[in-house]
């Protein structure tokens, strides 16, 4: 049921209203430190639950493409509560969130002060807050309705730091080295936010509580490496487009056949580079490819004209500077065919590859392919392989500018490729270690810098603290030969209960991170 809430909320908001009237007397949302606080005053006096039924009132934060449930307030019959507790113990539901409070017939109150806090994420700034009502009986859960509480939270982002509190990346670039070191020391650190504790025995703290971190003790054990400042952020990105053309036409027509969806790939690449003063384009390479069917001369004209016309399209649509462009073409993309056959083998594919390797383009290669096995092989190539070779390949080189912390906090979820590792980690510093948002930033960094050992080691540390040793090992295995990963390998062995292996790793790490490795060894000795 929870997996389809996102789709149901929009429908239910415009559909049935719940007959029981609104239970929300007041609502207040604000940011403090690195957290978003939600305060509600609920009156559930009119909600009556039979012995075998329960009503759930779940606040939900929602924005475009994002959804976060908060702990629910439950009004339940005793028998229903015992059955739900037993089911959760025997068959735990994935993503289960313990109720904020469960009310029974004998501990009812006229009003409930509901207060939870979650780690703030930029998408929450203009999210909406709704209250979802559900009814559960012996055999089913039914959604009764969804009540809008706040259409636009419009909260103050904690990333909007006071002027001078954090030095922007641009200021660091022009500052002397000594000033750069001072600026790095001024990076914001996450503020601990205490969760409100309830005296009711069945109330549990929310996931964002610091004491509920899956591996809070690992915070001081794992390795975190500081990246070098990337003064010039040179980037290069490519897109492969399969454009359809009317017969005898080389101009790009966006509304012809499937061209719109193909050109949207290019839109997503180019729009961040030409809007908002985020980056400056240095060069654009366009290469047109044709498949081997047909005469070489015709394919040469076809590939060349389509590449040339695609340059004109890009000049008119995205970047007008003709000096930016380098245009080339490949009349018959035999190399591309070889790669396709290696990735997606076909019957007699080895024979095709052997023929391509031994017979030249102008020595009857295509004719011999057409004759192979009575033409069946060539017909399969013509149908399933050649269409994938007729394409336009666009490669854009650009340089992203430096971003301050507020800009980076927004871009990390929209255009992370524009950020440096240092800029990403400055965003992570706003979150408590061990929270999902903290982990998310480090994993985004590792995804966009997949070959960077430092990014993989830091991501491993973040997911260790989130209680996910399996993902941590995947990151560390990519950099197993890097001595800077030895300490984290030791932490993984420690968490898995292999003290002997952990000690070996920590002793190896003494020459790399002596202080941290000694503390980890000392910690293990104390626990013996």
């Amino acid at each position: 049921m929870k997996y389809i809430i996102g789709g149901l909320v929009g429908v239910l908001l415009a559909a049935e209203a719940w007959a029981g009237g609104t239970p929300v007397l007041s609502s207040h949302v604000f940011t403090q430190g690195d957290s978003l606080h939600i305060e509600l005053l609920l009156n559930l006096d009119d909600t009556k639950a039979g012995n075998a039924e329960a009503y759930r009132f779940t606040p939900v934060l929602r924005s475009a493409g994002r959804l976060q449930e908060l702990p629910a307030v439950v009004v339940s019959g005793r028998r229903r509560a015992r059955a739900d507790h037993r089911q959760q113990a025997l068959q735990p539901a994935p993503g289960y969130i313990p109720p904020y409070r469960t009310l029974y017939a004998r501990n009812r109150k006229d009003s409930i002060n509901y207060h939870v806090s979650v780690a703030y994420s930029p998408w929450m700034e203009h999210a909406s807050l709704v209250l979802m009502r559900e009814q559960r009986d012996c055999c089913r859960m039914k959604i009764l309705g969804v009540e809008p509480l706040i259409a636009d939270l419009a909260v103050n982002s904690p990333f909007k730091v006071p002027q001078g509190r954090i030095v922007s990346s641009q200021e660091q670039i022009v500052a002397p080295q000594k000033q750069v070191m001072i600026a790095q020391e001024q990076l914001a650190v996450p503020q601990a936010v205490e969760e409100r504790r309830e005296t009711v025995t069945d109330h549990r703290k929310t996931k964002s509580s610091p004491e509920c971190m899956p591996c809070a003790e690992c915070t001081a054990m794992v390795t975190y490496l500081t990246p070098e400042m990337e003064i010039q952020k040179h980037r290069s990105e490519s897109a492969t487009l399969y454009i359809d053309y009317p017969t005898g036409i080389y101009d790009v027509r966006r509304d012809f056949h499937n061209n719109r969806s193909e050109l949207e790939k290019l839109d997503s690449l180019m729009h961040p580079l030409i809007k908002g003063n985020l980056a400056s384009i240095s060069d654009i390479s366009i290469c047109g490819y044709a498949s081997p069917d047909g005469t070489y001369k015709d394919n040469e004209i076809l590939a060349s004209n389509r590449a040339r016309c695609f340059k004109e399209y890009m000049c008119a649509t995205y970047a007008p500077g003709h000096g930016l462009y380098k245009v080339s073409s490949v009349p018959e993309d035999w190399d591309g065919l070889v790669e396709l056959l290696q990735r997606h083998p076909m019957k007699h594919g080895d024979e095709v590859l052997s023929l391509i390797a031994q017979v030249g383009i102008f020595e009857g290669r295509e004719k011999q392919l057409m004759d192979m096995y009575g033409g069946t092989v060539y017909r399969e190539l013509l149908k399933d392989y050649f269409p994938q070779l007729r394409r336009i390949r666009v490669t854009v080189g650009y340089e992203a500018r430096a971003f301050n912390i507020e800009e980076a906090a927004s871009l990390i979820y929209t255009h992370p490729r524009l950020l440096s590792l240092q800029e990403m980690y400055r965003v992570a510093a706003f979150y408590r270690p061990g929270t999902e948002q903290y982990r998310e930033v480090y994993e985004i960094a590792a995804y966009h810098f997949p070959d960077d050992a430092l990014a993989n080691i830091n991501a491993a540390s973040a997911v260790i603290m989130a209680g996910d040793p399996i993902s941590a090992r995947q990151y560390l295995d990519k950099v197993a030969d890097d001595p800077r990963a030895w300490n984290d390998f030791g932490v993984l062995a420690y968490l898995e209960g292999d003290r002997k292996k952990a000690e070996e790793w920590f002793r190896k790490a003494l020459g790399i991170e002596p202080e941290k490795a000694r503390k980890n060894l000392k910690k293990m000795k104390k626990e013996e």
Side-chain angles (χ1 to χ4, degrees), residues 5-6 23 29 143 146 163 232 269 334 383 392 408 421 432:
I5 291 174
V29 179
I143 297 181
V146 177
Q163 185 68 24
Q232 291 185 312
L269 189 160
W334 292 100
K383 177 185 176 184
I392 298 288
L421 276 176
R432 288 188 295 271

Side-chain angles (χ1 to χ4, degrees), residues 19 65 68 142 258 318 449 455:
Q68 182 164 340
K142 180 172 67 173
N258 197 44
Y318 306 109
F449 293 88

Side-chain angles (χ1 to χ4, degrees), residues 270-398:
M270 295 297 298
H271 285 169
L273 307 181
I274 62 177
K275 295 182 178 180
N277 189 32
L278 301 178
S280 57
I281 298 174
S282 57
D283 58 89
I284 300 175
S285 298
I286 299 173
C287 187
Y289 294 84
S291 58
D293 53 310
T295 66
Y296 187 91
K297 184 172 182 59
D298 288 343
N299 290 334
E300 187 175 34
I301 295 172
L302 181 68
S304 175
N305 284 341
R306 287 182 174 176
R308 176 182 53 79
C309 288
F310 200 84
K311 172 203 166 183
E312 299 300 326
Y313 171 81
M314 289 197 67
C315 280
T317 308
Y318 306 109
H322 287 270
L324 294 174
Y325 294 88
K326 178 182 178 182
V327 179
S328 61
S329 61
V330 177
E332 294 186 355
D333 188 18
W334 292 100
D335 290 340
L337 179 59
V338 169
E339 292 178 8
L340 276 177
L341 288 170
Q342 291 172 342
R343 291 199 311 267
H344 307 287
M346 62 178 290
K347 188 177 180 180
H348 308 300
D350 290 340
E351 295 176 62
V352 173
L353 291 173
S354 177
L355 190 151
I356 293 174
Q358 297 177 20
V359 181
I361 297 177
F362 303 107
E363 297 174 358
R365 177 189 293 176
E366 187 178 358
K367 179 65 169 63
Q368 291 186 41
L369 273 179
M370 295 173 71
D371 294 339
M372 186 178 290
Y373 292 99
T376 57
V377 172
Y378 190 80
R379 284 194 292 271
E380 185 176 352
L381 290 173
L382 198 63
K383 177 185 176 184
D384 297 330
Y385 290 84
F386 287 177
Q388 299 182 63
L389 302 176
R390 305 167 195 141
R391 65 200 190 279
I392 298 288
R393 180 75 171 174
V394 179
T395 301
V396 182
Y398 62 92

Side-chain angles (χ1 to χ4, degrees), residues 251-268:
D251 294 337
V252 179
R253 302 191 177 183
R254 194 177 186 90
D255 294 322
F256 186 74
H257 289 182
N258 197 44
N259 286 352
R260 179 172 294 276
S261 62
E262 288 296 307
L263 291 170
E264 284 173 356
K265 300 177 188 176
L266 191 59
D267 292 342
S268 63

